[in-house]
């Protein structure tokens, strides 16, 4: 079988989502680093794979695919291993709803704003505007509160087994929980906190962990 090649930096939340999918499915893969911080994603050879200069990109059996949600579903549908999408139509719809909420309302304020600002402060010693953090904290809190309200009674975001919804949110939370804002917001979300404590200890999360998240 053709080997899977995944392009992107290991610290990217979206790249880690796909790495988690591959690990959970038991798929052997090769990670080709793309240093977006140094503009490697803007080079012509990468733009041939991804014209929008974003990660991740998956190449398998002469087939190139980008966009995280599309790749995650392709991995689940194409390889043996535990299914990561519910067979129940309502649970599948809920999973897709939560993924859409994460991408549309969570990734921006959590990763693009709060995590990025805190990273600039920690690694580049840049002074940041606390008001920017406060502005982003509101939408981040709303997104996670809504997700908690949509959760059922099981240990996972949807139903009683792991799904793509868990694998989309977990890498984002790995970064967010390293920030004061993340820790503070999660104090008011007991169900989501219990979920995070469980999912963060999962072997696939441990295997794909990096120093940055």
């Amino acid at each position: 079988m053709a080997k899977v090649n995944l392009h992107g930096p290991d610290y990217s939340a979206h790249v880690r989502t796909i790495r988690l999918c591959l690990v959970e499915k038991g798929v052997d893969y090769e990670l080709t680093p793309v240093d977006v911080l140094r503009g490697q994603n803007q080079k012509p050879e990468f733009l041939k794979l991804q014209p929008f200069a974003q990660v991740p990109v998956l190449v398998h059996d002469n087939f190139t695919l980008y966009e995280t949600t599309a790749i995650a579903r392709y991995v689940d549908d194409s390889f043996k291993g535990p299914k990561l999408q519910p067979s129940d139509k309502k649970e599948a719809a809920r999973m897709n709803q939560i993924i859409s909420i994460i991408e549309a309302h969570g990734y921006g304020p959590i990763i693009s704003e709060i995590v990025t600002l805190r990273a600039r402060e920690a690694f580049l010693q840049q002074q940041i505007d606390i008001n920017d953090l406060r502005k982003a904290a509101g939408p981040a809190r709303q997104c996670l509160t809504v997700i908690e309200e949509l959760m059922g009674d099981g240990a996972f975001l949807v139903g009683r087994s792991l799904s793509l919804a868990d694998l989309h949110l977990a890498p984002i939370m790995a970064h967010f929980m390293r920030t004061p804002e993340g820790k503070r917001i999660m104090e008011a979300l007991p169900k989501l906190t219990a979920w995070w404590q469980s999912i963060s200890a999962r072997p696939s999360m441990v295997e794909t962990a990096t120093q940055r998240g």
Side-chain angles (χ1 to χ4, degrees), residues 192-212:
L192 206 55
T193 295
W195 167 86
W196 169 244
Q197 291 172 344
S198 175
I199 199 78
S200 62
R202 197 171 178 90
S204 62
M205 284 290 286
V206 175
E207 181 177 335
T208 58
T210 69
Q211 292 183 348
R212 300 189 190 187

Side-chain angles (χ1 to χ4, degrees), residues 26-135:
V27 178
D28 185 29
Y29 72 97
E30 179 179 348
L31 181 65
T32 300
V34 178
D35 193 344
V36 298
L37 298 178
R38 295 180 182 272
Q40 195 172 2
N41 57 317
Q42 299 289 344
K43 293 184 178 297
E45 55 267 31
F46 184 76
L47 292 174
K48 290 179 181 178
L49 297 175
Q50 221 291 11
F52 302 106
Q54 296 178 337
V55 293
V57 176
L58 183 139
V59 180
H60 173 242
D61 197 22
N62 295 317
F63 177 62
T64 301
L65 187 65
Y66 54 84
E67 297 300 334
T68 305
T69 54
I71 298 172
R73 288 168 185 159
Y74 174 80
V75 169
D76 189 38
D77 292 338
S78 300
F79 298 98
K80 296 179 180 179
K83 294 299 294 181
L84 302 175
Q85 300 175 86
S87 57
D88 179 84
K89 287 182 170 53
K90 291 181 179 178
E91 288 188 354
R94 183 70 78 206
M95 178 196 74
N96 290 327
Q97 179 187 29
I98 290 176
I99 291 171
S100 294
I101 290 170
I102 293 166
E103 294 300 318
H105 306 290
Y107 188 90
I110 293 174
I111 297 295
S112 300
E113 298 182 49
I114 295 172
V115 170
T116 298
L117 286 169
R118 288 299 187 187
R120 289 174 181 170
E121 179 184 50
F123 298 111
L124 301 178
Q125 286 74 52
Q126 291 183 357
Q127 187 172 1
I128 59 176
D129 189 340
I130 195 68
N131 289 322
D132 291 336
L133 290 169
R134 289 172 178 165
K135 289 177 184 176

Side-chain angles (χ1 to χ4, degrees), residues 152-170:
D153 297 326
F156 301 98
L157 294 182
V158 178
R160 298 190 179 279
S161 61
L162 184 77
S163 78
L164 297 180
D166 300 289
L167 303 184
H168 273 76
L169 184 58

